[in-house]
Amino acid sequence: MTALNGEDEVVELCRDLIRIDSTNAGDNTGPGERAAAEYVAEKLAEVGLEPRILESDSRRANVVARIAGEDPSREALLLHGHLDVVPFNADDWTHHPLSGEIADGCVWGRGAVDMKDMDAMILAVVRQRLSEGRRPPRDVVLAFTADEEAGGSYGAQWLTEKHADLFEGCTEAIGEVGGFSVSLDEARRLYLIETAEKGIAWMRLTAKGRAGHGSMLNDENAITELADAVARIGRYQWPVRLTQTVKTFLAEVSEALELELDADDAEATVAKLGPLARMIGATLRNTANPTMLAGGYKANVIPQSAVAHVDGRFLPGHEEEFFATIDELLGPNVTREFVYHDIALETGFDGPLVRAMADALAAEDPGALAVPYTLSGGTDLKAFSRLGMRGFGFAPLRLPADLDFSGMFHGVDERVPTDSLRFGVRVLDRFLENC
Ligand SMILES: [Zn+2]
């Protein structure tokens, strides 16, 4: 086999993947991930792997492959990336979101940071290593999943329920939303490695009352009851709860920036972090935001019921407190049910795998400071964690200081610098060498 160069390939792999429409609107319509999965499987088969395409429903395709490591007695590592992307309104974009256009040193398109970039980096590094005959020190399982953007019921959740055998021996997992840089100054960059995720509680609230004529007295008005509960939830000031991950993050960042860390006023410390504050601020506390409201059908008719939706997110270790508070805020006349509910995750920032990530970053960027952080959202890691895996968000990218990276997730003009993709391949290669 002729040796392939991952740094040369990664940009084209990323562009190709962006050009394959795998939009996921969340209702199982649309193109599905089949075409992207076939592309990925072909790229893996070319370097001697035997990828399996697993469809959970028509065109909802996942790809799983196993690379035999040098020491089969060791436990395996999972590298996972999702193949679907969120929808877009092409008119809003500078370059078409399915174009994979290169402009201003970036690859543009839906999925450029979430997460066809990492899919391409994984493909590039695996193809290079295998074409050079370099196996990883232990078994590495690759999973490219469907449906992450809609909760994974056709993707990671389905895979881990129906095909758990494919992940046999996997005790650690590497996936998305981490490993990117945030500039402290010219010389130093934080690299945020995800070690925790908030839990998810999307809830439907229902108030039931007494229907009747809008001109009559009515002290059981469903809309009034519901509106009160929604306002209580929306206005509630959730107390700051510092998890271990957030404490470690704040301590590292305060030291690096020579900031005074006031444990009693974590918010003030976070406010000094500039654009990062938006992301980190949400990890200091549970949150619950009312997002939908509906009830009634005529101006002079009091309806029997009214419905609202709330997007709740709870910190690791604070789920019970979250629901106790929500129930108190709801009051006796409003009930809740789940639209979607998933666990919070947290693991320590220690051990050989963490060292391998930090060392790989430091070798490619001498100004790198790896720190753990909590993701305010959720990823496929929640599903994989149910198989006993300890997981991290580590899709390494060295980014220009002025790029609003977190704003690009699901945003307009999503793009990734080509240099960052090449950096990611080099870091992942070093990481796999020592994983
Ligand atoms: Zn994603």
Side-chain angles (χ1 to χ4, degrees):
M1 197 182 305
T2 45
L4 299 166
N5 185 300
E7 279 192 78
D8 288 349
E9 281 201 323
V10 67
V11 173
E12 287 310 312
L13 290 166
C14 184
R15 300 179 76 191
D16 286 350
L17 283 168
I18 287 170
R19 290 185 191 120
I20 300 172
D21 186 2
S22 56
T23 308
N24 182 0
D27 54 4
N28 204 22
T29 61
E33 299 82 359
R34 179 81 204 188
E38 283 173 1
Y39 176 87
V40 165
E42 188 190 313
K43 294 292 171 190
L44 295 175
E46 278 174 13
V47 289
L49 293 177
E50 293 172 8
R52 282 184 63 185
I53 296 181
L54 301 121
E55 274 196 347
S56 53
D57 199 352
S58 175
R59 303 199 61 79
R60 305 310 303 270
N62 302 270
V63 183
V64 180
R66 185 179 283 256
I67 307 170
E70 276 162 9
D71 181 354
S73 73
R74 283 185 61 194
E75 287 157 334
L77 172 70
L78 173 69
L79 295 186
H80 61 100
H82 61 84
L83 294 172
D84 61 325
V85 294
V86 291
F88 49 78
N89 180 14
D91 291 343
D92 300 336
W93 288 57
T94 308
H95 302 284
H96 195 283
L98 295 176
S99 68
E101 187 89 23
I102 294 183
D104 307 321
C106 292
V107 179
W108 296 60
R110 178 57 87 216
V113 304
D114 186 13
M115 62 173 295
K116 288 176 170 174
D117 58 337
M118 177 62 166
D119 295 334
M121 280 153 42
I122 294 173
L123 285 178
V125 76
V126 163
R127 282 166 60 82
Q128 170 165 347
R129 292 182 64 95
L130 293 181
S131 73
E132 294 170 351
R134 288 190 294 136
R135 289 204 281 159
R138 55 170 162 157
D139 276 16
V140 171
V141 175
L142 307 175
F144 297 87
T145 60
D147 202 34
E148 192 276 341
E149 297 291 1
S153 51
Y154 295 98
Q157 277 193 38
W158 176 83
L159 271 180
T160 52
E161 276 161 27
K162 307 283 183 195
H163 295 280
D165 53 307
L166 296 174
F167 306 98
E168 209 188 304
C170 289
T171 53
E172 293 174 310
I174 296 290
E176 68 176 328
V177 208
F180 55 90
S181 69
V182 175
S183 295
L184 292 175
D185 48 44
E186 283 286 290
R188 296 176 308 160
R189 277 156 295 280
L190 294 176
Y191 285 81
L192 274 60
I193 294 174
E194 192 222 278
T195 57
E197 292 185 2
K198 282 177 107 172
I200 304 173
W202 296 348
M203 295 171 285
R204 182 186 299 113
L205 311 185
T206 307
K208 289 210 164 47
R210 187 157 40 87
H213 200 288
S215 69
M216 310 274 184
L217 296 177
N218 188 325
D219 56 5
E220 293 172 57
N221 185 318
I223 289 184
T224 309
E225 285 293 334
L226 184 79
D228 271 354
V230 166
R232 283 193 296 269
I233 290 173
R235 293 220 166 86
Y236 184 70
Q237 297 289 319
W238 292 87
V240 169
R241 297 280 184 253
L242 296 183
T243 60
Q244 193 50 54
T245 300
V246 174
K247 279 183 197 159
T248 309
F249 174 86
L250 290 175
E252 293 273 357
V253 173
S254 309
E255 192 186 315
L257 291 176
E258 290 166 19
L259 288 175
E260 198 65 38
L261 173 62
D262 182 355
D264 296 326
D265 197 359
E267 283 190 297
T269 307
V270 169
K272 293 175 193 159
L273 300 178
L276 251 192
R278 184 177 44 181
M279 203 172 152
I280 301 302
T283 69
L284 298 180
R285 50 165 59 89
N286 294 331
T287 60
N289 281 308
T291 48
M292 293 165 76
L293 193 58
Y297 46 91
K298 194 167 185 296
N300 63 348
V301 179
I302 298 167
Q304 194 153 358
S305 64
V307 173
H309 285 77
V310 171
D311 182 350
R313 310 284 176 142
F314 49 88
L315 290 166
H318 295 277
E319 180 168 3
E320 267 181 46
E321 181 191 16
F322 174 81
F323 287 116
T325 305
I326 287 288
D327 287 340
E328 219 167 280
L329 295 169
L330 284 178
N333 301 320
V334 179
T335 57
R336 65 171 164 89
E337 60 199 311
F338 289 124
V339 177
Y340 189 78
H341 179 208
D342 210 339
I343 51 174
L345 297 173
E346 185 167 39
T347 189
F349 195 58
D350 52 14
L353 200 69
V354 168
R355 233 172 3 257
M357 286 186 265
D359 289 350
L361 287 168
E364 291 297 331
D365 180 357
L369 173 63
V371 293
Y373 90 103
T374 305
L375 180 67
S376 60
T379 72
D380 278 345
L381 181 57
K382 291 192 196 309
F384 290 118
S385 77
R386 291 193 167 89
L387 297 180
M389 287 177 235
R390 175 185 187 218
F392 301 90
F394 183 64
L397 295 173
R398 177 175 169 167
L399 298 168
D402 57 352
L403 192 78
D404 175 17
F405 186 65
S406 66
M408 276 190 201
F409 283 76
H410 302 190
V412 168
D413 283 345
E414 187 179 343
R415 60 195 184 277
V416 65
T418 53
D419 283 348
S420 305
L421 291 171
R422 294 191 188 96
F423 173 86
V425 169
R426 295 195 300 272
V427 172
L428 283 179
D429 191 22
R430 289 178 185 274
F431 168 71
L432 284 180
E433 195 66 34
N434 299 308
C435 69

